[in-house]
Amino acid sequence: MEINDLTPAESRLWRAFASGTDVDFRAAGSSAADSDDPAHGGTWGPERTVRASVLRALLLDGPREDGRVAALSLTGARVTGQLDLQYATVDHPVRLRHCHFDEAPRFYGARLRELNLSESVLPGLISHAVRVEGVLRLTRARFSGTVRLAGAEVTGSLYLESTRIETQNTGTPDGEWPVLQLNQAVLGADLWAPGLRAGGEVRLTGARVAGTVNLNDAVLDRPGGTAVQAETLAAEADVLMRRADVRGRLELRGARIPGRLDLSHARLANPGNTALRASSCAIGELWLREGPAVQGALNLRRAQVDVLFLQPEVVPAWVQLNDLTYTSLVPHEPAQRRLPMLEKGDSYLPFTYEQLTASYRRIGDDDAARLVQLAKQRRRRRTLPWYGRLWGHLQDIAVGYGFRPLRAGGWLLSLLAVGSVVYGLHHPPPLKPQEAPGFDPVFYTLDLLLPVISFGQENAFSPEGGYQTLSYVLIVTGWILATTVITGLTRTVSRQ
């Protein structure tokens, strides 16, 4: 391209490129003036307008100056036409800040040294499979179309602080295209996006992030659909979503997060459907705390979590905990506050009770562990046929399924007192008067109640009428108490 073909604004940029000098078209260099807002860039005149073809010519074959590093550094310009660098290799930094783009730039398959589009306004970005040797900055940029970074490789960090992406484009019969596509992307450092606002799906499926994924204070809005699609996401540090507002499904199935998945103070809302799905995940720490109750289902099936920081107030009305394993459950709460969570599933899941029991035992709270085991037996009872439920009720009333052994002593003492008083007032006649020992109402009652021990009283005396009926009741009750005590003690010992 000949310099004679350039406008004054383009000529200024052409001359600055060779030395990497920044060209700023803003009024007095201030970005605060309304006239400098890139959202109004469509009205900017030729004095701050640059054709995309000129930018392309500079980046591919621009002038050089000995001893200086050439760079495209442009601020406050309107870029007309499409900046098409598909499959291009650009060895110069590209900084296009506070700019207004009439058309979505195209960097598909390009190899760039650095790309900075911070605080610019764009109708979209087409950058599938782009490789950036450094950082990719889209800080506070505003997009009215899809940002396509699927398969991108960035050796540094991707910055999306306070970036806004809103689009009405539809691409499939099932709904919108993801407004931010980072599926299969590889980031050598962080995905830094606090305050990101996305009016549609954010797709992170299969992405690999060597550092932290920061979505603190993000607003991710796709009601009734998937707001964040991050299946098999691999982040080598933390995934932070503190105070995030997620309207739609947060999909993390199969993610690998060795650090912390922090959803503290977050609002997760997908009424009538799954709000958070973290099934089959491996997570160091999962924090769900200090926020409103999740609106929608919480799915943690088959997840492996080292530390589960879960406050009962955050747990929704429907949870799926099949095969969830965790080493530690915090904060420490009484069993009565944890047990309702296990009742919110669709079926009886013994493993969930065993996990909760184990977490209490690890911290030495054996009383809470026994309460959980008792609740497990009562929940199991509802799945049994009528005769099983009847026997379960007897065990529960008698000794609390063995977790309340003192109840058996109370029942025995009560029945012993009744039998001793009744038979003390009315001695049963002896079977063989010449051979019968002296009658003792206390030991006679004990003989009836205790099925194994014999004091020689039961076989020596034979009550009649109602007293005989009472003896049968004492014998049957004694067998029931003995059986339930043995069953309960066996169960208790087997859990140790």
Side-chain angles (χ1 to χ4, degrees):
M1 177 173 289
E2 297 293 336
I3 195 169
N4 295 332
D5 298 330
L6 304 179
T7 66
E10 294 169 346
S11 296
R12 178 183 171 188
L13 178 63
W14 192 276
R15 291 189 297 269
F17 175 82
S19 60
T21 303
D22 182 48
V23 175
D24 192 344
F25 287 134
R26 293 176 296 176
S30 172
S31 61
D34 290 341
S35 61
D36 286 328
D37 185 348
H40 305 145
T43 63
W44 291 344
E47 72 282 357
R48 55 192 306 181
T49 298
V50 177
R51 289 169 293 171
S53 58
V54 175
L55 301 181
R56 173 184 168 85
L58 276 171
L59 293 171
L60 297 183
D61 192 23
R64 304 290 189 273
E65 184 175 321
D66 292 340
R68 305 296 292 270
V69 177
L72 177 60
S73 185
L74 178 61
T75 304
R78 176 187 179 186
V79 180
T80 59
Q82 185 177 59
L83 178 55
D84 189 349
L85 292 170
Q86 182 173 226
Y87 298 115
T89 298
V90 177
D91 295 326
H92 317 292
V94 180
R95 306 184 188 106
L96 299 167
R97 296 162 293 188
H98 295 275
C99 292
H100 176 95
F101 289 79
D102 288 351
E103 297 184 38
R106 186 178 183 87
F107 302 118
Y108 184 95
R111 297 296 180 262
L112 307 175
R113 178 69 64 187
E114 176 192 343
L115 180 59
N116 187 341
L117 299 174
S118 296
E119 300 183 271
S120 294
V121 173
L122 309 94
L125 181 63
I126 305 170
S127 296
H128 302 80
V130 68
R131 177 178 173 83
V132 180
E133 300 284 351
V135 298
L136 173 54
R137 293 185 182 274
L138 302 175
T139 302
R140 292 182 294 278
R142 286 168 282 177
F143 295 91
S144 58
T146 302
V147 177
R148 297 181 171 94
L149 288 165
E153 185 175 353
V154 181
T155 62
S157 297
L158 169 58
Y159 292 96
L160 289 161
E161 308 106 301
S162 302
T163 300
R164 303 185 66 168
I165 309 172
E166 297 180 358
T167 175
Q168 300 300 319
N169 295 337
T170 58
T172 67
D174 298 328
E176 299 177 354
W177 284 110
V179 296
L180 175 56
Q181 299 176 14
L182 280 166
N183 42 302
Q184 312 304 324
V186 178
L187 306 183
D190 301 323
L191 171 55
W192 205 254
L196 171 69
R197 298 180 68 93
E201 180 183 325
V202 174
R203 180 166 294 178
L204 292 164
T205 304
R208 290 183 291 161
V209 181
T212 295
V213 176
N214 186 337
L215 288 166
N216 290 337
D217 301 296
V219 178
L220 310 172
D221 191 11
R222 198 183 180 215
T226 299
V228 179
Q229 179 64 265
E231 293 189 32
T232 65
L233 168 69
E236 295 186 15
D238 302 324
V239 174
L240 307 178
M241 299 186 69
R242 297 171 66 90
R243 299 174 301 277
D245 188 354
V246 183
R247 305 163 191 167
R249 176 185 296 212
L250 175 53
E251 178 64 70
L252 291 166
R253 183 176 66 87
R256 296 294 179 266
I257 306 169
R260 183 172 76 252
L261 173 57
D262 192 346
L263 292 162
S264 302
H265 307 277
R267 179 179 181 269
L268 306 180
N270 194 23
N273 211 320
T274 299
L276 170 60
R277 185 185 184 191
S279 57
S280 303
C281 288
I283 303 172
E285 299 181 18
L286 172 55
W287 288 22
L288 272 168
R289 55 185 285 273
E290 302 296 338
V294 175
Q295 298 179 40
L298 173 62
N299 184 343
L300 299 176
R301 293 186 298 177
R302 300 180 301 279
Q304 299 178 22
V305 182
D306 291 334
V307 178
L308 179 58
F309 198 135
L310 182 62
Q311 290 183 326
E313 296 83 2
V314 179
V315 179
W318 187 259
V319 295
Q320 296 173 289
L321 305 175
N322 318 38
D323 298 319
L324 166 67
T325 60
Y326 49 87
T327 303
S328 177
L329 180 62
V330 291
H332 178 61
E333 296 276 1
Q336 293 88 341
R337 282 175 52 78
R338 292 292 187 190
L339 285 170
M341 175 177 66
L342 309 186
E343 299 284 339
K344 294 178 179 180
D346 54 358
S347 60
Y348 165 58
L349 300 172
F351 184 74
T352 60
Y353 290 89
E354 294 300 325
Q355 278 288 293
L356 185 55
T357 299
S359 71
Y360 279 122
R361 283 181 177 152
R362 288 189 192 99
I363 61 174
D365 194 343
D366 292 331
D367 289 338
R370 284 191 290 270
L371 280 175
V372 175
Q373 285 295 299
L374 177 57
K376 173 189 172 185
Q377 295 302 322
R378 289 172 174 169
R379 179 67 178 85
R380 174 180 176 272
R381 186 172 67 209
R382 300 205 296 264
T383 68
L384 301 175
W386 69 267
Y387 49 85
R389 293 196 299 272
L390 177 60
W391 176 241
H393 280 294
L394 288 174
Q395 291 189 76
D396 196 355
I397 293 170
V399 291
Y401 284 99
F403 300 104
R404 296 288 185 269
L406 292 180
R407 285 187 186 178
W411 283 107
L412 286 172
L413 289 175
S414 300
L415 293 172
L416 177 61
V418 171
S420 299
V421 170
V422 171
Y423 291 118
L425 295 175
H426 185 87
H427 293 192
L431 292 174
K432 297 179 180 180
Q434 298 79 9
E435 301 176 7
F439 180 75
D440 187 311
V442 175
F443 283 95
Y444 179 74
T445 305
L446 284 174
D447 249 353
L448 296 174
L449 286 172
L450 303 178
V452 177
I453 301 174
S454 175
F455 296 100
Q457 294 279 315
E458 179 183 359
N459 295 329
F461 299 92
S462 177
E464 299 174 345
Y467 300 100
Q468 186 176 28
T469 301
L470 176 60
S471 69
Y472 293 155
V473 171
L474 292 174
I475 291 172
V476 172
T477 305
W479 273 103
I480 292 174
L481 285 173
T483 303
T484 54
V485 168
I486 292 171
T487 302
L489 289 176
T490 301
R491 184 183 298 115
T492 301
V493 171
S494 67
R495 298 299 179 202
Q496 302 302 322

